[in-house]
């Protein structure tokens, strides 16, 4: 079903956010409108540039106990994301760094160059039990800076060497660079990739995800991965009322043609600062439907901008959410696909040798031992 979108934005900044709202933990409030003013006067050279700061965390694996997720551990090689997706649920996490979830999130990035070493040491610890590791649960592991830094690739090398299962979530075709690592892993049931396809409309995609690869590149990536024997799941996410929801059937058909065997979806979520960022974005690009979009989102969340309750936060509730679920189910069935994720093999794990620089602690001697 074709729907004509009235795309009127003249923003040439190449950024998703045009404001930098204060982090919710800050006592002092500060507001700025950076890119809108620049684009209005045609000055794109002065637009905020990406700044990358290297950090040295003590650990690299993040644990969770959420029943909504299909994994209990994950790695994020980067914090912040240059893709600039206005809807990104990870934006509020930048507030923990004292930075804004707005423009800061996509321009003030943090990289973890020693992630592979930290991972190797973590996997070598006595008693470590292998279960699927997730990459890209907060920010994209294949965002533009990965092309040069190759932190994600270094992590995959460790996981391949130890035969540790891994699942990747990305919206970048850069993932195909690592087919040489992922394909052999996939043969042993150790790797899978989920690629996010938000819209098939290149113009709409560029507004929603200004520095992410085009929909056509993502579909091509699905095909390349699938042809290499790597299981691919397509994420139709997020589904945004009155904006991209009309594309559900076409999107499912497109990813099926490209080679995806599984599909999942997530409704638009607006936690914390994201509710204000999304309102600003909608008013800037789609003033004719901004109120309608927000009203429908709130209708799925019990009249609130967001409901974080497990079991409801991903899909929402109410008549509209039920209609979307039914449409997705029918579209997936028509294409012969499966909804949900593919299980991985955790039985082949072999711990690495511990780094010489970080030897195992000596066993405490018995009190009365010889």
């Amino acid at each position: 079903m074709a729907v004509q979108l009235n795309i009127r934005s003249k923003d040439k900044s190449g950024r998703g956010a045009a404001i930098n709202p204060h982090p919710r933990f800050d006592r002092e409030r500060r507001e700025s409108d950076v890119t809108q003013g620049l684009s209005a006067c045609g000055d794109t050279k002065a637009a905020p540039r990406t700044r990358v700061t290297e950090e040295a965390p003590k650990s690299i694996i993040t644990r969770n106990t959420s029943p909504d997720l299909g994994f209990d551990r994950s790695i994020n090689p980067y914090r912040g994301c240059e893709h600039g997706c206005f809807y990104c649920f990870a934006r509020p996490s930048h507030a923990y760094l004292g930075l804004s979830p707005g423009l800061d999130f996509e321009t003030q990035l943090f990289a973890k160059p020693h992630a592979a070493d930290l991972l190797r040491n973590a996997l070598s610890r006595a008693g470590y039990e292998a279960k699927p590791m997730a990459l890209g649960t907060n920010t994209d592991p294949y965002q533009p800076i990965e092309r040069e830094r190759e932190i994600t690739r270094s992590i995959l090398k460790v996981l391949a060497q130890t035969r540790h299962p891994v699942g990747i979530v990305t919206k970048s075709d850069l993932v195909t660079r690592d087919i040489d690592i992922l394909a052999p892993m996939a043969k042993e049931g150790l790797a899978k990739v989920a690629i996010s396809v938000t819209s098939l409309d290149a113009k709409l995609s560029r507004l929603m995800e200004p520095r992410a690869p085009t929909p056509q590149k993502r579909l091509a990536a699905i095909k390349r991965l699938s042809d290499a024997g790597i299981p691919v799941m397509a994420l139709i996410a997020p589904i945004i009322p009155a904006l991209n929801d009309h594309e559900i059937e076409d999107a499912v058909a497109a990813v099926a043609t490209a080679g995806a065997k599984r599909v999942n979806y997530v409704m638009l979520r607006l936690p914390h600062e994201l509710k204000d960022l999304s309102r600003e974005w909608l008013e800037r690009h789609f003033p004719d439907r901004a109120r309608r979009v927000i009203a429908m989102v709130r209708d799925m969340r019990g009249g609130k901008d967001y409901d974080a309750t497990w079991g409801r936060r991903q899909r929402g509730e109410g008549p509209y959410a039920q209609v979307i679920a039914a449409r997705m189910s029918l579209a997936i069935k028509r294409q012969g696909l499966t909804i949900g994720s593919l299980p991985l093999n955790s039985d082949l794990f072999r711990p690495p040798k511990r780094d010489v620089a970080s030897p195992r602690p000596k066993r405490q001697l018995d009190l009365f031992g010889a």
Side-chain angles (χ1 to χ4, degrees):
M1 178 175 60
V3 175
Q4 183 66 37
L5 294 177
N6 184 22
I7 300 176
R8 303 190 304 176
S9 174
K10 296 181 180 180
D11 190 350
K12 305 295 184 181
S13 66
R15 300 295 182 179
I19 58 175
N20 231 11
H22 74 287
R24 62 188 178 280
F25 302 118
D26 279 11
R27 293 182 178 180
E28 295 182 359
R29 300 180 66 92
R30 60 184 184 274
E31 301 289 343
S32 64
D33 186 338
V34 183
T35 60
Q36 236 181 346
L38 293 174
S39 61
C41 64
D43 183 3
T44 57
K45 292 182 180 181
R49 295 183 178 181
T50 302
R51 176 183 176 184
V52 183
T53 300
E54 293 187 351
E55 59 179 347
K58 294 181 179 180
S59 61
I60 197 64
I61 299 177
T62 301
R63 305 276 181 163
N64 80 84
T65 57
S66 171
D68 285 344
L69 304 177
F71 56 87
D72 66 357
R73 65 202 68 185
S74 60
I75 296 176
N76 287 288
Y78 307 101
R79 292 204 277 185
C81 186
E82 195 176 5
H83 282 158
C85 308
F86 87 89
Y87 54 77
C88 183
F89 69 88
R91 281 184 178 273
S93 65
H94 241 43
Y96 292 105
L97 303 175
L99 295 172
S100 174
L103 195 61
D104 283 350
F105 178 78
E106 51 193 286
T107 59
Q108 305 295 317
L109 311 182
F110 295 82
K112 305 172 185 178
H114 304 296
D117 294 332
L118 291 170
L119 175 60
R120 187 177 293 106
N121 288 336
L123 300 185
S124 68
R125 289 174 186 153
Y128 178 83
E129 181 182 359
K131 290 184 179 180
M133 187 74 70
L135 291 181
T137 57
N138 196 47
T139 56
D140 203 310
Y142 287 100
Q143 59 179 288
I145 57 175
E146 167 63 16
R147 193 174 299 278
E148 295 181 358
R149 293 179 176 263
E150 297 192 353
I151 299 175
T152 297
R153 183 172 175 83
S154 68
I155 291 171
L156 288 178
K157 287 181 178 179
V158 174
L159 296 175
Q161 291 166 1
T162 58
R163 303 175 82 180
H164 192 294
V166 61
I168 299 171
V169 179
T170 182
K171 55 168 52 73
S172 175
D173 60 331
L174 181 58
V175 65
T176 60
R177 177 202 63 188
D178 295 334
I179 285 178
D180 61 318
I181 300 175
L182 295 171
M185 293 183 72
K187 287 183 179 180
E188 296 185 298
L190 296 173
K192 61 183 178 181
V193 176
I195 293 187
S196 172
V197 179
T198 314
S199 173
L200 300 179
D201 185 329
K203 291 183 179 180
L204 178 58
S205 177
R206 184 57 60 208
L207 288 181
M208 293 195 297
E209 310 150 334
R211 299 199 176 195
T214 65
Q216 291 69 31
K217 287 186 176 181
R218 295 183 221 180
L219 293 175
I222 291 176
K223 178 171 175 51
R224 286 193 61 190
L225 293 168
S226 180
D227 288 347
I230 302 167
V232 184
M233 178 176 73
L235 285 173
I236 312 299
I239 294 177
I240 305 174
L243 197 63
N244 68 347
D245 54 352
H246 64 281
E247 297 188 68
I248 288 176
E249 290 77 11
D250 289 342
V252 172
V255 299
T257 300
K261 301 302 181 185
R262 292 172 179 262
V263 174
N264 212 338
Y265 75 99
V266 178
M267 301 302 301
L268 177 65
R269 298 191 282 162
L270 301 178
H272 301 299
E273 295 92 343
L274 198 56
K275 62 181 182 296
D276 295 325
L277 287 164
S278 295
R279 281 182 169 83
E280 187 282 329
W281 186 91
L282 286 164
E283 288 290 351
R284 180 159 40 102
H285 294 296
F286 297 97
D288 59 324
R289 69 189 68 197
R291 290 186 179 180
R292 180 184 175 194
V293 173
I294 296 300
M296 295 176 74
V297 168
R298 290 174 62 86
D299 185 60
M300 288 189 293
R301 309 294 182 184
K304 301 180 293 184
D305 287 310
Y306 184 54
D307 181 359
T309 305
W310 285 336
R312 295 204 296 262
R313 60 178 183 166
Q314 304 279 13
R315 303 287 175 81
E317 290 186 320
Y320 178 75
Q322 293 170 6
V323 169
I324 294 298
R327 288 176 58 192
M328 284 295 305
S329 179
L330 182 58
I332 290 170
K333 183 178 181 180
R334 284 175 175 171
Q335 298 300 327
L337 304 179
T338 302
I339 193 166
S341 188
L342 177 76
L344 294 173
N345 187 357
S346 299
D347 299 330
L348 303 178
F349 174 68
R350 53 191 182 196
K353 293 182 179 180
R354 191 168 180 83
D355 200 345
V356 176
S358 303
R360 293 180 185 274
K362 294 181 178 180
R363 182 177 65 85
Q364 182 176 350
L365 296 178
D366 295 333
L367 180 61
F368 301 104

